[in-house]
Amino acid sequence: MSKKEKNSDQLIAHIIKGIEEVKGNDIDILDLREIENTVCDYFIICNGTSNTQVNAIVNSIQKTVSKSLKDKPWHIEGSENAEWVLMDYVNVVVHVFQKHIREFYDIESLWGDAKITSIETSY
């Protein structure tokens, strides 16, 4: 396993932990590595029930990743209205949606060639 893969795996694990800390829903990991010309290796997609929860998920991810890996997102977009917040960690891009916005854009079907792993939650 290359160092890049190991770093991505650790980052993904801490992002998932951050999402679960505040009960983010419907967590999917899209593996984009086998698709040509993608902007990153992975998408992590989840949703919250309100703009308050979406912001809580984003803050929890930032805090968990920063504390554990001393890493921060290169860029964050969409925090103002918190319907769809994108967090760019370069190789891993996190999409935090409100449920109705996620259903409307349906990113998973746009990236239909990606290997999708759904994370089971116990809440």
Side-chain angles (χ1 to χ4, degrees):
M1 182 180 290
S2 72
K3 186 175 181 182
K4 181 179 161 188
E5 283 181 79
K6 186 173 182 245
N7 290 346
S8 290
D9 289 347
Q10 285 182 324
L11 178 59
I12 290 167
H14 286 92
I15 289 169
I16 299 298
K17 181 180 176 193
I19 294 168
E20 290 176 332
E21 295 263 326
V22 288
K23 297 184 174 24
N25 299 310
D26 306 321
I27 306 167
D28 287 334
I29 302 170
L30 278 65
D31 185 342
L32 308 172
R33 292 175 297 176
E34 301 295 318
I35 303 172
E36 287 186 37
N37 303 321
T38 57
V39 294
C40 63
D41 292 339
Y42 297 94
F43 278 170
I44 298 178
I45 304 172
C46 70
N47 54 265
T49 55
S50 65
N51 56 353
T52 304
Q53 188 184 19
V54 166
N55 278 327
I57 292 167
V58 170
N59 292 336
S60 178
I61 292 168
Q62 278 186 281
K63 192 169 17 174
T64 303
V65 170
S66 175
K67 194 173 179 180
S68 303
L69 302 176
K70 309 286 187 259
D71 197 1
K72 61 182 183 182
W74 177 70
H75 184 71
I76 296 178
E77 208 169 293
S79 297
E80 304 80 40
N81 62 7
E83 290 183 340
W84 176 2
V85 179
L86 181 139
M87 304 175 74
D88 187 349
Y89 282 96
V90 184
N91 290 329
V92 179
V93 174
V94 184
H95 300 271
V96 185
F97 288 97
Q98 286 188 38
K99 188 173 176 70
H100 68 284
I101 301 295
R102 181 177 181 174
E103 289 169 355
F104 179 80
Y105 286 102
D106 193 17
I107 286 184
E108 291 90 338
S109 70
L110 291 175
W111 294 92
D113 293 345
K115 179 178 172 246
I116 299 177
T117 306
S118 294
I119 305 297
E120 293 295 318
T121 52
S122 57
Y123 43 82

